[in-house]
Amino acid sequence: MVSSKRLRVGVLFGGRSGEHEVSLASAASVIRALDPEKYEAVPIGISKDGRWLVGRGAQELLADVLKSGDRVILPSDPTAATLVPLVPVAGRPSIMVDVIFPVLHGTFGEDGTVQGLMELAGLPYVGAGVLASAVGMDKDVQKRLFEQAGLPIVPFMTVRRSDWEHKRAAILKAIKKKFRFPFFVKPATLGSSVGMTRVKTAGEISGAMDLAAEFALKIVVERGIAGREIEVAVLGNDELRASIPGEIVPHREYYDYTAKYLEGGTDLLIPAPLTKTQVKTFQEYAVRAFQAIDGCGMARCDFFLERRSGKIFVNELNTIPGFTSISMYPKLWEAYGLPYTKLIDRLIELALELHREKSRTKYSIELPEGAGGALNA
C-alpha cells in the first residue's frame, strides 16, 4: 500500500522518439490526476535531443519544461536516488524521487533503455521491466514469442534494413510471393503507427519499405486483416487482471497516426459488442501474451477479429499505452470499475511492491572466511 507520507513521483515524459508529442499528452493527464494529498509530482522532461530537464510546479510547467527547465542527470548509482543538476549551482540541490512514472512512448523510453537506467539507479518505476519493455517494442521478437506460446498471430515476415538496402529485388520478389494485397509494412521497433503503410499495389511496396526503414533497423511486413480492432488492458505483477474488451472503430481506412492523434471521429466502444465466449477468449489471450513477454505492471493487448472467419489474432502488446484520461487503457479500467486516479494509485503500488520483491534477490555471494585468499592464489 502507498504510505501516509507524500511520495515524490517523477513523471518522465517527452523523449527521443517519433512519439514525443503523444508522450506530452499522456504526462499532462497523469500529473493532473495525481492526488496532491498522496503525491508530489516532479515533472521530468526529455527533449528531442535527449536533454533531461526539470521545472517547478506540475501541469502549468509541462509545456515549458522542455524549453526552460534546469538540466539534470539520473546517476546510475543506487545509493543516490536523485536527479542531479548537470551544472551545479549554489542553492540548487539534487531532487529526490521515490518512484518514477514513465510515460515515454517509443524509442529510448518504452524499449527497455530507460528501464535499465532506473534499474541501475535502484529506483522503483511503473510498468514493465527491461526485458518485457524491449520485447514489447520489437514486433518481430514479440510475435515469435507469441507464436511459441501458442497464441494465434497474423502471418508476417521480417526484413533487416541492411538486407533491404542491398537485396531489394530479391526481397520485393519474396514479399509479392508471400502476401496478397492489401498488406501492412511497419518499423519493427516503433509504435503509434509511425512509419506504417497500408500497401495496396505492387508500386507502393518500395516506398513503404523505404519509409519504415527510416525508423528502425528491422521492417515487419504483415498480412492485412479485414476485421475489427479489439483491445484489452492487463494490470498486475504476479496476480493479473484483464479488463473487459473495447473496440476501436476508426473513421479512416485504418487506425493510423492521424486517426489516433490528429483527427476526431474515431469511436471507442466499451464494452465491445462480443459474445461471452469471445470476451473470455480475448481476456485469456491478453494474459497469456503478457506472460509470454514476462510483463509486469501494465500493458494493452491489441487484437484483430477477422470478420469473414471469426478468428482472433493477437497483434501486439503495448507496455506503455496511451495514458490520457480518454485513452483506451484507462477507459477500459474505468468501465471495469477502476477510475483513472485509482488506476494511477494501483500502478504506483505495483511498482513499489515489485521493487521490494527485487530487493530480496541476491546479486553477490558471501564467501567463507579465508576463501578470498584461495581465489587470489
Side-chain angles (χ1 to χ4, degrees):
M1 296 294 292
V2 176
S3 70
S4 57
K5 169 183 170 289
R6 276 212 319 169
L7 291 175
R8 292 183 63 108
V9 180
V11 181
L12 190 58
F13 62 91
R16 296 164 55 198
S17 91
E19 299 175 77
H20 180 98
E21 286 73 20
V22 180
S23 173
L24 300 185
S26 291
S29 191
V30 169
I31 291 169
R32 275 197 303 267
L34 284 170
D35 185 345
E37 294 187 2
K38 295 180 180 179
Y39 312 109
E40 179 185 349
V42 181
I44 309 166
I46 302 178
S47 66
K48 289 186 177 182
D49 60 2
R51 291 171 295 124
W52 286 49
L53 303 162
V54 296
R56 304 296 179 191
Q59 168 56 24
E60 67 272 18
L61 285 174
L62 184 57
D64 298 324
V65 70
L66 298 185
K67 299 176 183 176
S68 60
D70 297 328
R71 293 189 65 182
V72 295
I73 56 173
L74 176 62
S76 56
D77 179 350
T79 65
T82 61
L83 295 164
V84 178
L86 189 62
V87 180
V89 176
R92 185 184 298 166
S94 299
I95 300 172
M96 299 290 294
V97 288
D98 297 303
V99 61
I100 296 287
F101 198 124
V103 278
L104 289 164
H105 304 300
T107 315
F108 305 119
E110 195 176 352
D111 58 1
T113 50
V114 161
Q115 288 76 14
L117 176 59
M118 289 184 283
E119 291 284 354
L120 288 172
L123 277 171
Y125 58 94
V126 168
V130 175
L131 175 62
S133 296
V135 173
M137 272 297 293
D138 192 315
K139 296 176 178 65
D140 170 41
V141 176
Q142 186 179 138
K143 288 176 185 294
R144 294 171 193 263
L145 288 175
F146 291 163
E147 194 169 33
Q148 187 179 47
L151 293 165
I153 62 171
V154 175
F156 77 103
M157 68 180 289
T158 302
V159 178
R160 298 197 68 83
R161 181 166 67 190
S162 58
D163 289 337
W164 168 243
E165 290 173 346
H166 296 97
K167 307 172 186 176
R168 293 173 75 99
I171 290 170
L172 282 171
K173 183 178 179 180
I175 291 173
K176 291 174 185 177
K177 183 177 179 180
K178 184 176 177 68
F179 298 99
R180 291 182 299 177
F181 299 107
F183 57 82
F184 286 88
V185 173
K186 61 183 77 171
T189 51
L190 204 61
S192 294
S193 302
V194 174
M196 184 174 76
T197 305
R198 184 174 186 262
V199 178
K200 294 175 284 187
T201 67
E204 296 174 344
I205 301 175
S206 291
M209 294 290 288
D210 288 338
L211 176 63
E214 293 179 16
F215 293 97
L217 292 172
K218 293 189 293 185
I219 305 160
V220 169
V221 185
E222 187 176 78
R223 192 185 103 189
I225 297 292
R228 298 161 61 187
E229 298 190 38
I230 307 296
E231 300 186 346
V232 176
V234 183
L235 180 68
N237 291 333
D238 295 322
E239 298 180 7
L240 302 177
R241 296 166 62 189
S243 73
I244 58 174
E247 182 172 359
I248 300 287
V249 184
H251 69 289
R252 295 172 65 86
E253 190 173 32
Y254 64 97
Y255 198 40
D256 62 0
Y257 186 92
T258 301
K260 288 176 180 178
Y261 305 114
L262 303 181
E263 295 179 352
T266 295
D267 291 326
L268 308 181
L269 304 182
I270 303 174
L274 300 164
T275 67
K276 289 183 179 180
T277 300
Q278 287 173 323
V279 169
K280 186 176 179 181
T281 301
F282 279 115
Q283 291 174 324
E284 177 197 341
Y285 283 176
V287 169
R288 285 172 56 189
F290 191 79
Q291 292 170 328
I293 71 164
D294 196 28
C296 60
M298 65 175 169
R300 192 193 70 233
C301 192
D302 300 346
F303 299 89
F304 296 122
L305 176 58
E306 193 170 41
R307 295 185 188 278
R308 178 178 53 82
S309 66
K311 290 181 180 178
I312 295 172
F313 297 95
V314 180
N315 181 28
E316 63 181 12
L317 270 180
N318 290 275
T319 55
I320 303 184
F323 220 87
T324 70
S325 59
I326 60 171
S327 296
M328 181 63 101
Y329 185 87
K331 284 181 74 69
L332 287 171
W333 285 118
E334 185 176 29
Y336 199 87
L338 188 65
Y340 191 69
T341 54
K342 296 296 182 184
L343 173 61
I344 290 175
D345 286 346
R346 182 58 185 145
L347 286 168
I348 292 173
E349 288 172 0
L350 288 168
L352 296 173
E353 288 172 9
L354 185 59
H355 187 69
R356 286 193 295 268
E357 185 62 25
K358 287 178 180 177
S359 70
R360 298 176 53 217
T361 304
K362 288 186 176 181
Y363 297 101
S364 62
I365 58 173
E366 296 179 7
L367 296 174
E369 194 169 335
L375 289 175
N376 293 325

